[in-house]
Amino acid sequence: MSTEMITTRWWWVRHAPVTEDGGCIYGQADLDCNCTDPHIFQALARFLPQEAVWVTSNLKRTHQTAAAILRHRTASADPAIIVPEFAEQHLGEWQGLDRAGFFGARIPRPDSYWFGPAHERPPGGESFVDLHARVADAIARINEEQSGRDVIAVAHGGTIRAALTTALGTPPQTALAFAVANCSVTRIDHVRIGGESGWRVAIVNHLPTVPPPQ
């Protein structure tokens, strides 16, 4: 049996901050993000691998973030592959609600950064469990298509937590305890040796930095 190790490295980047939400929950609302601070994107450009496959969700804030990073890189890249399954959780009728008022009216969970328990499905939307199912299917497909490559996936907080759920093999609720900041990097590696495969978690919620100009 072959003992060759094939590693597909996933570099998950959460999109830049959304500032036009008016303090409301946005979920899958297709809002712009703020890419005006060049130091953030310079740092990401230096930290991420030069030779990589780029993927984004279908929401424009991930396209804008990817473009802002690519402006500071020396190596060219093929156009990003748009993966609709990597969109943020659809929060249904919660989208557009005042964020502070929403959380103020709910019982907080000590083990979660998220809007509700993993199994809760907002009216007209999907649960985090639903989100995880579609993200996991897309990850499996891309692992086959891009085996052994670096994959830079510019996505969303929920999507990245769903990827961590897949990597850790834990119940979806567990991943809601992870902080995932805007423009942070989370790297998980899919490793195949012979007929076996598994995941290794290398980095979670890392914020690369570069010194500001003097």
Side-chain angles (χ1 to χ4, degrees):
M1 179 181 295
S2 173
T3 58
E4 178 188 9
M5 178 184 291
I6 301 173
T7 304
T8 306
R9 291 164 295 276
W10 285 81
W11 304 77
W12 292 91
V13 181
R14 188 182 174 197
H15 62 79
V18 171
T19 55
E20 61 175 28
D21 58 336
C24 296
I25 296 170
Y26 49 88
Q28 280 194 14
D30 200 11
L31 303 182
D32 292 310
C33 63
N34 184 346
C35 297
T36 57
D37 186 345
H39 301 115
I40 294 171
F41 304 104
Q42 290 170 9
L44 285 165
R46 290 177 55 182
F47 184 75
L48 295 169
Q50 291 294 315
E51 300 294 331
V53 177
W54 285 72
V55 302
T56 67
S57 82
N58 58 317
L59 299 176
K60 62 184 176 182
R61 54 189 181 268
T62 65
H63 308 168
Q64 293 165 346
T65 302
I69 299 168
L70 287 165
R71 281 196 291 271
H72 295 282
R73 289 166 59 93
T74 56
S76 60
D78 291 332
I81 301 167
I82 297 175
V83 183
E85 296 95 324
F86 287 166
E88 184 57 280
Q89 181 179 342
H90 195 304
L91 296 172
E93 294 179 14
W94 294 352
Q95 294 179 184
L97 296 180
D98 176 73
R99 185 182 296 262
F102 174 85
F103 282 110
R106 293 176 66 86
I107 299 173
R109 291 186 61 115
D111 61 347
S112 177
Y113 283 98
W114 209 235
F115 297 92
H119 65 271
E120 184 177 4
R121 184 176 290 126
E126 63 181 348
S127 68
F128 181 78
V129 172
D130 297 329
L131 166 65
H132 171 247
R134 61 174 163 83
V135 169
D137 285 346
I139 288 173
R141 182 180 72 246
I142 295 170
N143 275 336
E144 293 299 321
E145 295 171 350
Q146 308 295 343
S147 179
R149 301 287 305 276
D150 285 289
V151 179
I152 299 172
V154 185
H156 309 267
T159 310
I160 296 168
R161 291 180 176 96
L164 285 166
T165 299
T166 296
L168 296 171
T170 58
Q173 182 65 39
T174 303
L176 300 184
F178 283 100
V180 181
N182 292 108
C183 297
S184 67
V185 179
T186 294
R187 201 189 95 201
I188 58 176
D189 298 344
H190 183 261
V191 179
R192 182 180 292 116
I193 303 174
E196 297 185 340
S197 64
W199 290 94
R200 300 178 181 182
V201 179
I203 302 169
V204 177
N205 197 35
H206 173 64
L207 288 164
T209 58
V210 294
Q214 298 299 314

